[in-house]
Structure formats: C-alpha cells, structure tokens
Amino acid sequence: MTFRQAWEAALYGPDGFYRRERPAQHFRTSVHASALFGQALAGLARAVGATRVVDIGAGSGELGKVLRSEGLDVLEVELDDDLPARLTGLVVANEWLDNLPCELAELDDEGTPRYLLADLSLGEVVEGNDLGWLSAWWPLREPGDRAEIGLARDLAWAEVVRRLDGGVALAIDYGHLRTGRPPYGTLTGFRNGRECEPVLDGSCDITAHVALDSLAAAVPGGTVVMQREALLALGVTATRPDHELSRTDPLRYLTELSSAGEAAELLDPSGLGGFGWVWTGTGDSVVRRASRALSA
Ligand SMILES: C[S@@+](CC[C@H](N)C(=O)[O-])C[C@H]1O[C@@H](n2cnc3c(N)ncnc32)[C@H](O)[C@@H]1O
C-alpha cells in the first residue's frame, strides 16, 4: 500500500479521522482565528458581483456563518456531497487541498525516485505523470530527499475550476514555491491542537503543504497572492486604535483593539499571512474586478 492509499484510509475511510472529528478541535485555521477573514471574503464576493459563495471542505461551517451574516447565500460542500456540475459566484476552499492525500516520493541510494509506502519503506519507481510532475515542480537532488507529489491536488482543483461558469475560484492554503521546496517534505500530523507524528491509524489529522505554483499553473489564469497582501488589499488592518479613544469611548477602543489583534494574526507573514491565495476567474469583467480587489 502506498503512503497515499493509507493516508486516504486514515482520514476518510469508514473509521477515518474526518468521519469522527471536528477540525476546530484539532487545529486553528484563519476561519477560527477571526470573523475578519470571512468578512474580507465577503468583501471579495461583493467586489466581483457575487451573491453566492460555495465553501468546499467547509468543516463545521464556521466560515458560512460569517458569510451568511454578511448577506451572502452559502453552499457548503463536505465529504460525500456532490460538487455541483456548474459553479458560480465565489468558490472558496480554505485548507482543503493540504488534506487531500497525495503520493510521496523519495530518492533511493541510486538516485531513483520511488514511491513511499505506508510502512515508510520505498516501493515502485515513480513513473508517468507523477514523474513528469516531480521533474517539473519538485526535482529531488540527494538520496533521502522526499517530495509530496502535488498532482492529486492540481487535478482536484482543476476539476473545481472546470465547473466554474462566471465567478472566482480561490484555494487558500499553506504551501511553498519551486524556489523553496523543503528537501524532506512537509508531512505533519495534528491532534488536539498540537503537532504530532503523522501516524496512519486515523487518530490524527495528516496534512502536507500545497505546491502553490503548480496549483496555479494547473488552471487557466491561476495567480498566487500571499494572504497578507490579499487581506490588506481587502481592507483588513492591524492598526491599533488611538489610545485617546480609550478615554472617550472605552468600549469602542476595546473592540478595535481586539480586532487589530485578530487582524495581526491573519496577516502575520510567518503564520497565516504567509498562506497562499491561488485564484482564477471566468468572465473578463469578473477577472478584472478580482484582480483589482486583490492587489493593493
Ligand atoms: C482542514 S479542514 C478545513 C475546514 C474549514 N475549511 C476551515 O477552514 O476551518 C478540511 C476539510 O475538508 C474536508 N474534505 C476533505 N475532502 C473533501 C472532499 N473531497 N470534498 C469536500 N470536503 C472535503 C474535510 O472533511 C475537512 O472538513
């Protein structure tokens, strides 16, 4: 069994992690960090003229709650839900693709890439499209170097974008670019809010960063923007209120101070602000509007 097959079973099999657990109990996404995140996405939806948001991999629906309070119609897509054949409006996938199991490859002592198996030994030689992806996006250099083959994520995202008919599709995730791939990969486990060994027994979340540049290249017009830049462009600000306000309007001062703290977490370049927003749109005016909304 390849690592990917075991990963799939561990997360999504009959007894898998995501069949039993609520994501918010185990890790914190931008959605959990602050309602400012959902409000900014609502701003993006309005900027492109969308009244509807499709949230793929919606988890417990926390983002949908914020978007609905902003007057948007929301469709949440979770495990076992069929993705509609035609997607319109703003389609968002926040931290979905890092949980999409992919094959892992490691260079053996002879310098040949082989699939990593569930027991962490090396299996068959990597060939075909997987090898093509590795050569193009994540060339391995030294024996022992390991890569997460992003093809499964690229194909899944391309399938979402293929269904987009007038609107914007946005995948948000932690990731890396070809210029800075980590030599041993990024496979990580999460359990009860802490990083842990990514064991394949369904007891923890298992995640690997997304190759943001290959994801963008997998769809027409795909563009990568860092979350920090995107949120700043959408008006999220971590500027603290003037201290004078604490005297004249203490309640407002406290509200603004807390909002600035939450914004700082979303914008932190070494944390959530370093996430990638990979977006694409269909329809000239939608693309123009999205591009304007997402650039400072
Ligand atoms: C890391 S959680 C993110 C939850 C939420 N988007 C957030 O930001 O808090 C990933 C979610 O993707 C869901 N998921 C995984 N594969 C999926 C699929 N093929 N279709 C829809 N949802 C899926 C999982 O069940 C899980 O709830």
Side-chain angles (χ1 to χ4, degrees):
M1 198 190 268
T2 68
F3 195 93
R4 177 191 179 176
Q5 290 164 329
W7 182 356
E8 182 77 42
L11 293 193
Y12 307 116
D15 220 12
F17 178 82
Y18 278 106
R19 302 281 172 199
R20 306 186 320 268
E21 303 290 338
R22 286 184 57 240
Q25 221 176 299
H26 297 275
F27 47 82
R28 182 175 166 86
T29 70
S30 295
V31 169
H32 310 125
S34 173
L36 291 171
F37 180 74
Q39 288 159 4
L41 289 176
L44 175 62
R46 283 190 290 268
V48 301
T51 54
R52 180 181 215 225
V53 179
V54 181
D55 182 9
I56 302 179
S60 307
E62 296 93 338
L63 177 60
K65 219 165 140 192
V66 177
L67 294 170
R68 285 189 190 98
S69 75
E70 292 283 314
L72 291 155
D73 175 30
V74 180
L75 174 70
E76 281 150 357
V77 181
E78 250 303 321
L79 280 180
D80 302 332
D81 293 335
D82 288 331
L83 192 63
R86 179 172 168 267
L87 298 168
T88 56
L90 177 62
V91 179
V92 180
N94 188 58
E95 294 202 32
W96 168 43
L97 293 169
D98 64 280
N99 280 133
L100 206 84
C102 61
E103 296 290 0
L104 271 65
E106 191 173 305
L107 269 199
D108 69 12
D109 292 341
E110 275 73 52
T112 304
R114 291 181 178 274
Y115 289 109
L116 192 75
L117 302 181
D119 63 2
L120 303 184
S121 65
L122 298 188
E124 299 286 308
V125 172
V126 177
E127 289 178 334
N129 292 341
D130 282 342
L131 184 62
W133 190 95
L134 269 187
S135 318
W137 295 107
W138 195 330
L140 295 169
R141 309 206 184 279
E142 308 278 338
D145 281 3
R146 192 188 277 181
E148 292 119 17
I149 304 178
L151 189 61
R153 281 90 178 268
D154 293 358
L155 292 174
W157 189 239
E159 181 52 35
V160 170
V161 171
R162 193 183 64 75
R163 294 167 190 235
L164 188 67
D165 183 11
V168 169
L170 170 61
I172 302 174
D173 234 305
Y174 37 95
H176 36 59
L177 301 171
R178 193 180 151 148
T179 45
R181 307 272 189 237
Y184 306 114
T186 62
L187 198 68
T188 311
F190 282 96
R191 189 187 293 122
N192 297 323
R194 295 228 167 83
E195 266 188 50
C196 64
E197 271 300 296
V199 282
L200 296 163
D201 59 3
S203 68
C204 63
D205 180 34
I206 300 171
T207 163
H209 287 41
V210 174
L212 300 168
D213 40 7
S214 87
L215 194 71
V219 297
T223 305
V224 185
V225 190
M226 288 298 113
Q227 169 153 309
R228 178 181 169 79
E229 317 315 328
L231 288 181
L232 286 171
L234 290 166
V236 174
T237 167
T239 307
R240 293 156 72 99
D242 193 325
H243 199 258
E244 177 62 13
L245 192 63
S246 65
R247 275 195 327 103
T248 54
D249 191 345
L251 262 184
R252 189 163 146 222
Y253 176 78
L254 283 180
T255 309
E256 287 186 15
L257 194 62
S258 132
S259 164
E262 290 177 10
E265 183 179 357
L266 293 174
L267 296 170
D268 177 3
S270 59
L272 295 171
F275 277 39
W277 286 31
V278 180
W279 73 272
T280 189
T282 59
D284 286 349
S285 99
V286 166
V287 171
R288 229 176 303 116
R289 287 156 150 215
S291 176
R292 216 177 302 131
L294 291 171
S295 27

